[in-house]
């Protein structure tokens, strides 16, 4: 029997080269979908490019609370108009130095830009640097999508496995899957695709392990892209995106799927 898995590319809308690479892979049938960053000036144009794929591909919202310009401008979350690094986000929110209302306002603004540009709610929600696992974002998700509403699915946490990065993300996600399922959300799990992107040579092995080991409807996250000047100005994750794109587009990847009798799900589930 064919086993179906989800491959979701993060960061659509981050830079033109990233968006173009993701659209290419969607056209090749090598991705289930992508999660969108809506805070950049190019978002409306990028939304027009992906809009024809909505329905066939899963198009989600990539909540962004770190390292990029804030849609809502200056606030306790972004005193200079720029979102903080992750290490300067979680504890200050818990200790009240960042007003939870300002976090929720930023998330509301990103969500509104998604809906206004695409004319629909996101198929799923996840987070840049996994910020959707933070308690302040869990609260927002429950409030924004109340019980009985047409809710997006959520990206869940990873299964416990060796490696400090997986362990750190699993700790951040502690209780997320169960609590959000109890609240009525569909949670895509388990999450795979976590590795040290500063070692791009590891990606092919991580991808192959997912093909061989992910359970039915498991989720593999990835970050394919083409490097351009916009990406260089906005993000430190650069050359590895080309490596991921090449691997996902390759005939070798297609052959590995066939050998394992694995199919990539589309956006219709």
């Amino acid at each position: 029997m064919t086993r179906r898995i989800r491959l979701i590319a993060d960061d659509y809308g981050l830079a033109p080269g990233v968006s173009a690479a993701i659209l290419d892979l969607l056209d090749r049938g090598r991705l289930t979908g992508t999660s969108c960053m809506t805070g950049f000036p190019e978002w409306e144009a990028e939304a027009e490019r992906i809009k024809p794929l909505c329905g066939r591909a899963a198009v989600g919202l990539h909540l962004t609370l770190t390292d990029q310009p804030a849609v809502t401008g200056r606030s306790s979350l972004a005193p200079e108009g720029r979102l903080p690094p992750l290490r300067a986000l979680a504890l200050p929110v818990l200790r009240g130095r960042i007003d939870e209302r300002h976090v929720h306002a930023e998330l509301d603004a990103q969500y509104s830009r998604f809906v206004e540009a695409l004319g629909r709610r996101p198929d799923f929600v996840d987070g840049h640097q996994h910020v959707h696992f933070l308690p302040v974002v869990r609260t927002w998700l429950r409030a924004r999508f109340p019980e009985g509403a047409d809710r997006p699915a959520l990206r869940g946490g990873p299964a416990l496995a060796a490696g400090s990065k997986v362990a750190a993300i699993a700790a951040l996600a502690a209780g997320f899957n169960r609590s959000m399922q109890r609240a009525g959300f569909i949670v895509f799990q388990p999450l795979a695709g976590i590795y040290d992107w500063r070692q791009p040579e590891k990606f092919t092995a991580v991808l192959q392990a997912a093909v061989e080991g992910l359970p039915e409807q498991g989720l593999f996250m990835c970050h394919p892209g083409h490097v351009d000047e916009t990406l260089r100005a906005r993000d430190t994750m650069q050359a590895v995106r080309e490596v991921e794109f090449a691997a996902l587009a390759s005939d070798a990847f297609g052959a590995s799927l066939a050998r394992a009798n694995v199919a990539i799900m589309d956006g219709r589930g």
Side-chain angles (χ1 to χ4, degrees), residues 88-216:
L89 176 65
L91 281 179
V93 171
L94 288 174
R95 293 172 178 172
R97 293 199 296 268
I98 294 176
D99 192 326
E100 182 176 287
R101 293 171 298 179
H102 295 162
V103 178
H104 289 181
E106 177 66 23
L107 299 176
D108 282 338
Q110 293 176 22
Y111 175 77
S112 294
R113 284 173 63 83
F114 184 101
V115 173
E116 288 166 6
L118 292 175
R120 65 199 300 273
R121 68 151 176 81
D123 294 315
F124 64 94
V125 173
D126 57 27
H128 189 57
Q129 297 186 319
H130 310 284
V131 296
H132 63 299
F133 294 143
L134 294 172
V136 66
V137 183
R138 300 185 196 194
T139 301
W140 178 83
L141 287 166
R142 293 189 187 97
R144 167 54 67 178
F145 307 107
E147 190 172 356
D150 185 19
R151 287 172 156 175
L154 305 176
R155 182 166 77 190
L160 291 176
S164 59
K165 187 170 184 179
V166 175
I169 295 170
L172 186 66
F176 180 87
N177 293 2
R178 184 174 298 178
S179 66
M180 300 314 279
Q181 285 174 322
R182 282 202 304 263
F185 288 92
I186 294 171
V187 177
F188 294 157
Q189 59 176 313
L191 173 65
I194 300 166
Y195 72 107
D196 184 351
W197 57 264
R198 294 167 297 184
Q199 298 177 287
E201 69 278 3
K202 291 187 174 182
F203 178 74
T204 300
V206 171
L207 179 61
Q208 184 59 35
V211 169
E212 295 174 359
L214 262 183
E216 172 75 9

Side-chain angles (χ1 to χ4, degrees), residues 6-15 18-27 30-38 43 46-47 49-51 53-63 114 118 120-127 153 155 188 219-225 241 264-267:
R6 292 184 173 93
L7 268 71
I8 299 291
D10 287 1
D11 299 345
Y12 184 87
L14 172 61
V18 171
S19 299
I22 291 170
L23 290 173
D24 186 348
L25 291 170
L26 285 168
D27 188 58
R30 294 296 172 87
L31 294 173
T32 302
T34 185
S35 53
C36 303
M37 302 174 81
T38 66
W43 164 241
E46 297 295 1
R49 293 184 181 95
I50 203 167
K51 187 181 289 187
L53 299 182
C54 289
R56 179 168 70 82
V59 180
L61 175 61
H62 199 50
L63 298 173
F114 184 101
L118 292 175
R120 65 199 300 273
R121 68 151 176 81
D123 294 315
F124 64 94
V125 173
D126 57 27
R155 182 166 77 190
F188 294 157
L219 171 62
F220 184 87
M221 69 169 186
C222 54
H223 300 82
R241 295 180 187 270
I264 298 171
M265 298 174 68
D266 64 18

Side-chain angles (χ1 to χ4, degrees), residues 68-85 106:
Q68 299 297 342
V71 175
T72 49
R74 295 187 179 191
S75 69
S76 66
L77 173 64
E80 302 302 322
R82 186 172 180 83
L83 298 165
E106 177 66 23

